[in-house]
């Protein structure tokens, strides 16, 4: 893990391999860079004049310190127009610059925190601008090296430390808290990305369970794992059904974090944990099937969110549930037409074994009700259809409670893990009526709206509490390098869920039917 520290000293004197200076788009150089004397000052002015660097978002300018600064080199990184500035833009600009610094073999990178870049009057206990910069840089510098030759890796120079630098005269508070926060977030996103990137032969249901137990040992979390025996006793026929074609035993991971009062009801987070999705007997086509090792990304995000919640000691109670199984076409595998008896008591006709995520979630959602949660949120790489609807830039949110959905959407805006709501209507539930069981796991061909019918299926198991479903099939994996998300597993959901937990209203105001009614009376 990268080191993240902070320092209050003159940025002109600060010693580092690379000093990153975030710059807004202006006509003339402004802010910190105006303190530079010639030749650096002249080089910056010339870059502005020639439009080589105007401060546009993710534009960069590399400069040599040439002995005039404490830093060996300097990167100006563009934030775009001052009026458009958001925390996400700071994350992007820092990620872009940190990756450039690393490519240029800088071992230490420092990020300049200028007080006036962001209106940070809101008291979050940390400096939001500094936290966003450190978070973006740390996330951008993510690598997954577990399967690479160690000796060859030594030849690559990796950035080892990030430092937030602020001039003491600016009198900044909350720098230490910002560094600490960024570290916990980077750690949790790393956990989620690593889990999704491990191949299916390593990241089995038992491996997920072992990882959750290890994290519980390191943090103030408890972890219990239900195996096939307990599942049979409880009657989790849907989760067991999915795992039947595989030699890997399924696991239901239960992580609990109790940062709130004992009487506070928890938020339940449920994450799809299919460690590899071949489609089962309804086998997937071979092209890109390898990517289906990430079909446990929802579960990985839930594990990461609990790690971060515990690390940051959030004053809330949270239960994380990850139904983990491998979807394989073995000799004992479930077949199209099979009927499974789920924990909820409802029977399910399985018409497509590739719609397995909703089956494992059905039992996990029914199990979640035992914790009497104030809200249930599930994350799942559930449908390819969400990519058709929203592409790779936003996940879909659907559910039974508008206030809960809106709370999540707001968290998405703040974290850059954006959500877009799709409707969930009675007609979608009707499309799942089965001739021989309580419901079938896919709608009839021609109904369309695959993401919605997937959610409609889950709704039948979600119980009475406010519930939201987030389909992350389009966002869990990035096909290209982005400023703070390298190609591959994105860890989508960890920061979203954490932000949601941090902004949870007091329990009496829980978004729910009663609360909504009283609100309307006013
Ligand atoms: N894991 C897939 C969904 C998926 C697709 C995730 C692309 C990531 C990228 C899921 O289990 C699945 O196969 N869904 C089917 C549902 C269908 C059979 C109703 C799909 O989307 O085709
Ligand atoms: Zn599937
Ligand atoms: Zn799947």
């Amino acid at each position: 893990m990268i080191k993240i520290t902070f320092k209050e000293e003159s940025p002109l004197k600060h010693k580092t391999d690379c000093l990153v200076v975030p710059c807004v788009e202006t006509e003339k150089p402004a802010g910190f860079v105006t303190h530079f004397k010639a030749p650096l000052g002249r080089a910056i002015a010339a870059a502005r004049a020639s439009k080589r660097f105007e401060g546009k978002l993710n534009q960069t300018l590399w400069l040599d310190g040439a002995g005039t600064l404490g830093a060996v080199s300097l990167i100006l990184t563009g934030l775009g127009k001052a009026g458009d500035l958001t925390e996400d833009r700071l994350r992007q600009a820092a990620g872009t610059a940190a990756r450039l610094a690393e490519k240029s073999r800088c071992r230490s990178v420092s990020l300049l925190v200028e007080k006036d870049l962001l209106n940070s009057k809101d008291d979050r206990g940390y400096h939001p601008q500094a936290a966003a910069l450190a978070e973006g840089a740390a996330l951008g510098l993510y690598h997954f090296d577990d399967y690479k030759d160690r000796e060859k890796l030594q030849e690559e120079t990796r950035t080892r430390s990030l430092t937030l630098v602020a001039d003491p005269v600016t009198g900044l508070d909350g720098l230490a808290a910002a560094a600490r926060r960024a570290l916990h977030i980077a750690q949790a996103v790393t956990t989620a990305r690593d889990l999704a990137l491990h191949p299916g032969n390593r990241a089995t249901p038992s491996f997920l369970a072992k990882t959750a137990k290890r994290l519980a040992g390191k943090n103030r979390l408890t972890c219990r794992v239900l195996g096939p025996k307990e599942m049979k006793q409880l009657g989790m026929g849907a989760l067991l059904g999915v795992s039947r074609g595989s030699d890997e035993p399924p696991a239901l991971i239960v992580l609990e974090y109790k940062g709130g009062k004992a009487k506070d009801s928890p938020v339940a987070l449920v994450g799809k944990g299919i460690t590899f999705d071949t489609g089962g007997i309804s086998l997937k086509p071979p092209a890109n099937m390898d990517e289906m090792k990430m079909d446990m990304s929802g579960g990985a995000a839930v594990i990461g969110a609990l790690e971060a919640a515990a690390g940051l000691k959030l004053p809330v109670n949270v239960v994380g549930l990850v139904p983990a199984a491998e979807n394989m076409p073995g000799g004992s595998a479930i077949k199209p037409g099979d009927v499974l008896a789920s924990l909820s008591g409802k029977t399910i006709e399985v018409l497509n074994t590739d719609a397995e995520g909703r089956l494992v979630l059905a039992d996990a959602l029914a199990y979640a009700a035992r914790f009497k949660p104030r809200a249930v949120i599930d994350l799942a790489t559930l449908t390819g259809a969400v990519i058709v609807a929203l592409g790779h830039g936003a996940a879909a949110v659907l559910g039974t409670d508008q206030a809960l959905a809106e709370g999540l959407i707001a968290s998405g805006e703040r974290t850059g893990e954006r959500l877009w709501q799709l409707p969930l209507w009675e007609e979608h539930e009707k499309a799942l009526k089965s001739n021989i069981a309580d419901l079938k796991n896919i709608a009839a061909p021609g109904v369309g709206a695959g993401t919605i019918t997937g959610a409609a299926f889950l709704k039948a198991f979600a119980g009475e509490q406010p519930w939201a479903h987030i389909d992350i099939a389009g966002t869990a994996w990035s096909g290209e390098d982005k400023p703070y998300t390298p190609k591959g597993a994105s860890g989508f959901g960890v920061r979203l869920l954490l932000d949601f937990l941090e902004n949870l209203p007091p329990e009496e105001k829980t978004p729910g039917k009663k609360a909504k009614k009283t609100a309307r009376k006013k």
Side-chain angles (χ1 to χ4, degrees), residues 70-120:
V72 180
S73 42
L74 197 66
I75 294 176
L76 307 194
T77 186
L79 294 167
K81 296 225 162 65
D84 299 334
L85 192 60
T86 57
E87 282 169 37
D88 198 61
R89 289 191 160 207
L90 289 163
R91 274 191 288 272
Q92 289 188 39
T96 301
R99 288 160 68 86
L100 174 62
E102 186 174 71
K103 264 193 212 127
S104 313
R105 305 191 148 252
C106 299
R107 283 188 188 278
S108 57
V109 173
S110 300
L111 302 151
L112 177 68
V113 183
E114 281 193 278
K115 191 178 164 188
D116 52 356
L117 276 186
L118 199 81
N119 175 11
S120 51

Side-chain angles (χ1 to χ4, degrees), residues 12 21 23 26 28-38 40-42 44-45 48 74 76 112 114 116:
L12 292 166
V21 182
C23 300
T26 47
K28 280 189 197 155
F32 172 70
V33 294
T34 56
H35 298 298
F36 295 152
K37 310 258 167 355
L40 262 184
R42 258 207 311 272
I44 291 166
R48 287 275 161 148
L74 197 66
L76 307 194
L112 177 68
E114 281 193 278
D116 52 356

Side-chain angles (χ1 to χ4, degrees), residues 24-208:
V24 289
E25 192 177 339
T26 47
E27 293 287 322
K28 280 189 197 155
F32 172 70
V33 294
T34 56
H35 298 298
F36 295 152
K37 310 258 167 355
L40 262 184
R42 258 207 311 272
I44 291 166
R48 287 275 161 148
S50 68
K51 304 204 169 185
R52 205 149 41 80
F53 182 82
E54 302 162 278
K56 287 201 176 358
L57 183 62
N58 291 318
Q59 204 180 28
T60 53
L61 181 67
W62 172 276
L63 294 160
D64 206 279
T68 62
L69 290 173
V72 180
S73 42
L74 197 66
I75 294 176
L76 307 194
T77 186
L79 294 167
K81 296 225 162 65
D84 299 334
L85 192 60
T86 57
E87 282 169 37
D88 198 61
R89 289 191 160 207
L90 289 163
R91 274 191 288 272
Q92 289 188 39
T96 301
R99 288 160 68 86
L100 174 62
E102 186 174 71
K103 264 193 212 127
S104 313
R105 305 191 148 252
C106 299
R107 283 188 188 278
S108 57
V109 173
S110 300
L111 302 151
L112 177 68
V113 183
E114 281 193 278
K115 191 178 164 188
D116 52 356
L117 276 186
L118 199 81
N119 175 11
S120 51
K121 282 202 185 101
D122 52 342
D123 183 17
R124 287 186 244 170
Y126 57 89
H127 193 283
Q129 175 206 350
L133 287 172
E135 189 182 306
L139 295 178
L141 293 174
Y142 172 79
H143 297 281
F144 185 67
D145 296 327
D146 282 30
Y147 301 92
K148 286 187 182 157
D149 187 321
R150 279 174 184 253
E151 272 177 36
K152 274 206 183 132
L153 275 175
Q154 305 239 307
E155 290 163 23
E156 286 180 42
T157 307
R158 291 277 163 86
T159 299
R160 302 260 170 82
S161 69
L162 290 172
T163 308
L164 292 166
V165 194
D167 203 318
V169 294
T170 57
L172 284 173
D173 294 325
L175 265 194
R180 184 174 152 265
R181 181 184 164 75
L183 186 69
H184 282 293
I185 289 177
Q187 227 153 24
V189 175
T190 296
T191 297
R193 287 179 179 174
D194 283 357
L195 282 174
L197 283 167
H198 274 302
N201 63 344
R202 178 93 184 278
T204 58
S206 322
F207 181 89
L208 287 195

Side-chain angles (χ1 to χ4, degrees), residues 348-417:
I348 306 163
E349 185 186 11
V350 179
L351 288 180
N352 189 321
T353 65
D354 198 10
E356 83 299 336
R358 59 196 75 181
L359 297 175
V360 300
L361 287 170
D363 279 345
L365 288 170
Y367 192 69
R370 302 189 175 201
F371 296 87
K372 303 208 169 2
R374 58 183 288 189
V376 179
I377 302 161
D378 78 73
L379 265 89
T381 46
L382 206 74
T383 64
V386 79
I387 306 173
V388 180
L390 300 175
H392 299 281
V397 62
L398 308 93
T400 52
D401 188 278
Q402 196 51 29
L404 176 61
E406 279 167 16
L408 286 163
I409 291 167
S411 292
E413 291 303 318
R414 285 191 289 269
T415 55
E417 296 191 325

